[in-house]
Amino acid sequence: MKTPHRRIPGLTRSALVRAFGCGLALVLLVSTAQAASESAASLEARGDKFWKEGKLDEAGKSFQAALLGAPRNTALQMKLGGVQLSNNDFAASTETYKGAISHDARNVRAWLGLGFSYMHTGKNILSMAAFQEAIRLDPGRQAALKPLLEKLNAP
Protein backbone atom coordinates (compact mmCIF):
# COMPACT_ATOMS: atom_id res chain seq x y z
CA MET A 1 0.00 0.00 0.00
CA LYS A 2 1.40 3.36 -1.02
CA THR A 3 1.67 6.20 1.44
CA PRO A 4 -0.32 9.14 0.13
CA HIS A 5 1.73 12.23 -0.66
CA ARG A 6 0.67 15.33 1.14
CA ARG A 7 0.80 18.51 -0.81
CA ILE A 8 2.20 21.56 0.88
CA PRO A 9 0.53 24.71 -0.42
CA GLY A 10 2.92 26.87 -2.42
CA LEU A 11 5.65 24.21 -2.62
CA THR A 12 6.51 23.61 -6.24
CA ARG A 13 9.04 21.38 -7.88
CA SER A 14 11.23 24.39 -8.74
CA ALA A 15 11.18 25.50 -5.08
CA LEU A 16 12.35 22.04 -4.03
CA VAL A 17 15.15 22.11 -6.61
CA ARG A 18 16.25 25.58 -5.39
CA ALA A 19 16.18 24.41 -1.76
CA PHE A 20 18.24 21.34 -2.64
CA GLY A 21 20.66 23.54 -4.60
CA CYS A 22 21.10 25.88 -1.62
CA GLY A 23 21.82 22.94 0.66
CA LEU A 24 24.34 21.56 -1.80
CA ALA A 25 25.91 25.01 -2.17
CA LEU A 26 26.25 25.23 1.61
CA VAL A 27 27.95 21.83 1.76
CA LEU A 28 30.34 22.89 -1.02
CA LEU A 29 31.05 26.20 0.73
CA VAL A 30 31.90 24.48 4.02
CA SER A 31 34.07 21.91 2.20
CA THR A 32 35.89 24.65 0.31
CA ALA A 33 36.50 26.62 3.51
CA GLN A 34 37.92 23.52 5.22
CA ALA A 35 40.17 22.80 2.23
CA ALA A 36 41.35 26.43 2.17
CA SER A 37 42.14 26.24 5.87
CA GLU A 38 44.14 23.05 5.39
CA SER A 39 45.85 24.64 2.43
CA ALA A 40 46.71 27.71 4.51
CA ALA A 41 48.30 25.47 7.15
CA SER A 42 50.38 23.59 4.59
CA LEU A 43 51.43 26.86 2.92
CA GLU A 44 52.41 28.27 6.31
CA ALA A 45 54.51 25.16 7.02
CA ARG A 46 56.18 25.54 3.63
CA GLY A 47 56.87 29.21 4.38
CA ASP A 48 58.39 28.27 7.74
CA LYS A 49 60.64 25.74 6.00
CA PHE A 50 61.77 28.29 3.41
CA TRP A 51 62.44 30.88 6.11
CA LYS A 52 64.63 28.45 8.07
CA GLU A 53 66.54 27.73 4.86
CA GLY A 54 67.07 31.47 4.29
CA LYS A 55 64.86 31.51 1.18
CA LEU A 56 63.02 34.67 2.13
CA ASP A 57 61.35 35.34 -1.23
CA GLU A 58 59.84 31.85 -1.30
CA ALA A 59 58.83 32.14 2.36
CA GLY A 60 57.08 35.44 1.67
CA LYS A 61 55.20 33.99 -1.29
CA SER A 62 54.08 31.02 0.80
CA PHE A 63 52.88 33.24 3.65
CA GLN A 64 51.05 35.54 1.21
CA ALA A 65 49.33 32.56 -0.40
CA ALA A 66 48.41 31.17 3.02
CA LEU A 67 46.85 34.51 3.96
CA LEU A 68 44.48 34.21 1.01
CA GLY A 69 42.93 31.23 2.78
CA ALA A 70 43.20 32.74 6.27
CA PRO A 71 43.15 36.55 5.92
CA ARG A 72 42.60 37.25 9.63
CA ASN A 73 45.44 34.99 10.82
CA THR A 74 47.67 37.39 12.72
CA ALA A 75 50.39 34.76 13.22
CA LEU A 76 50.70 34.50 9.43
CA GLN A 77 50.69 38.28 9.11
CA MET A 78 53.51 38.48 11.66
CA LYS A 79 55.56 35.94 9.73
CA LEU A 80 54.98 37.75 6.45
CA GLY A 81 55.85 41.10 8.05
CA GLY A 82 59.05 39.59 9.44
CA VAL A 83 60.08 38.30 6.03
CA GLN A 84 59.30 41.65 4.42
CA LEU A 85 61.26 43.51 7.09
CA SER A 86 64.20 41.11 6.62
CA ASN A 87 64.05 41.75 2.86
CA ASN A 88 64.09 45.53 3.43
CA ASP A 89 60.61 45.79 1.90
CA PHE A 90 59.55 48.39 4.44
CA ALA A 91 56.45 49.66 2.61
CA ALA A 92 55.06 46.12 2.45
CA SER A 93 56.00 45.30 6.05
CA THR A 94 54.32 48.52 7.22
CA GLU A 95 51.07 47.50 5.55
CA THR A 96 51.32 43.93 6.81
CA TYR A 97 51.87 45.01 10.41
CA LYS A 98 49.01 47.51 10.15
CA GLY A 99 46.81 44.64 8.98
CA ALA A 100 47.86 42.51 11.94
CA ILE A 101 47.08 45.40 14.30
CA SER A 102 43.68 45.90 12.70
CA HIS A 103 42.84 42.29 13.65
CA ASP A 104 44.53 42.39 17.07
CA ALA A 105 45.29 45.85 18.43
CA ARG A 106 46.93 44.31 21.53
CA ASN A 107 49.59 42.49 19.50
CA VAL A 108 52.80 43.93 20.95
CA ARG A 109 54.99 42.27 18.35
CA ALA A 110 52.95 43.86 15.55
CA TRP A 111 53.46 47.30 17.10
CA LEU A 112 57.19 46.61 17.38
CA GLY A 113 57.35 45.46 13.75
CA LEU A 114 55.45 48.56 12.67
CA GLY A 115 57.87 50.71 14.68
CA PHE A 116 60.90 49.15 12.98
CA SER A 117 59.26 49.47 9.55
CA TYR A 118 58.64 53.17 10.13
CA MET A 119 62.12 53.66 11.58
CA HIS A 120 63.78 52.20 8.47
CA THR A 121 61.85 54.61 6.25
CA GLY A 122 62.80 57.65 8.33
CA LYS A 123 59.32 58.14 9.80
CA ASN A 124 60.68 58.70 13.29
CA ILE A 125 57.55 60.22 14.83
CA LEU A 126 55.40 57.31 13.64
CA SER A 127 58.09 54.88 14.72
CA MET A 128 58.18 56.37 18.23
CA ALA A 129 54.40 56.25 18.46
CA ALA A 130 54.37 52.55 17.52
CA PHE A 131 57.12 51.74 20.04
CA GLN A 132 55.31 53.72 22.74
CA GLU A 133 52.14 51.75 22.06
CA ALA A 134 54.14 48.52 22.43
CA ILE A 135 55.42 49.80 25.79
CA ARG A 136 51.92 50.78 26.87
CA LEU A 137 50.74 47.24 26.12
CA ASP A 138 53.83 45.59 27.64
CA PRO A 139 55.60 47.91 30.12
CA GLY A 140 58.36 45.32 30.55
CA ARG A 141 59.75 46.33 27.15
CA GLN A 142 60.45 49.91 28.20
CA ALA A 143 64.04 49.31 29.30
CA ALA A 144 64.94 47.58 26.02
CA LEU A 145 63.29 50.29 23.88
CA LYS A 146 64.52 53.32 25.85
CA PRO A 147 67.84 53.74 23.95
CA LEU A 148 66.06 53.37 20.63
CA LEU A 149 63.42 55.96 21.59
CA GLU A 150 66.15 58.35 22.72
CA LYS A 151 67.95 57.93 19.40
CA LEU A 152 64.72 58.53 17.45
CA ASN A 153 63.96 61.59 19.55
CA ALA A 154 67.43 63.11 19.07
CA PRO A 155 67.68 66.18 16.81
Side-chain angles (χ1 to χ4, degrees):
M1 178 171 182
K2 281 188 170 182
T3 307
H5 295 288
R6 293 187 336 202
R7 293 225 173 245
I8 301 172
L11 185 61
T12 64
R13 180 184 182 111
S14 64
L16 281 172
V17 169
R18 281 195 308 270
F20 175 76
C22 288
L24 185 58
L26 181 60
V27 168
L28 288 173
L29 180 64
V30 169
S31 298
T32 303
Q34 288 172 339
S37 176
E38 292 167 3
S39 176
S42 66
L43 287 166
E44 180 179 9
R46 187 178 314 146
D48 289 339
K49 177 181 170 282
F50 285 139
W51 199 351
K52 286 177 187 171
E53 295 171 354
K55 299 176 181 176
L56 297 180
D57 289 335
E58 291 87 347
K61 290 174 186 173
S62 293
F63 293 143
Q64 283 179 325
L67 277 167
L68 293 175
R72 297 183 59 89
N73 185 326
T74 54
L76 271 173
Q77 289 172 318
M78 295 303 299
K79 290 178 182 184
L80 177 60
V83 166
Q84 293 165 331
L85 199 56
S86 296
N87 268 341
N88 298 325
D89 190 354
F90 305 122
S93 66
T94 298
E95 292 308 310
T96 300
Y97 287 125
K98 283 181 181 179
I101 290 166
S102 75
H103 295 126
D104 180 8
R106 299 192 53 79
N107 187 328
V108 174
R109 289 179 50 236
W111 285 105
L112 291 170
L114 183 61
F116 283 111
S117 294
Y118 281 140
M119 184 181 74
H120 286 293
T121 57
K123 297 178 180 173
N124 292 355
I125 293 172
L126 292 173
S127 177
M128 287 175 29
F131 289 141
Q132 288 169 345
E133 182 62 15
I135 292 169
R136 187 187 72 75
L137 293 169
D138 183 2
R141 295 190 184 256
Q142 184 168 2
L145 290 173
K146 185 179 178 185
L148 187 58
L149 286 170
E150 288 172 353
K151 182 179 177 184
L152 289 169
N153 202 26

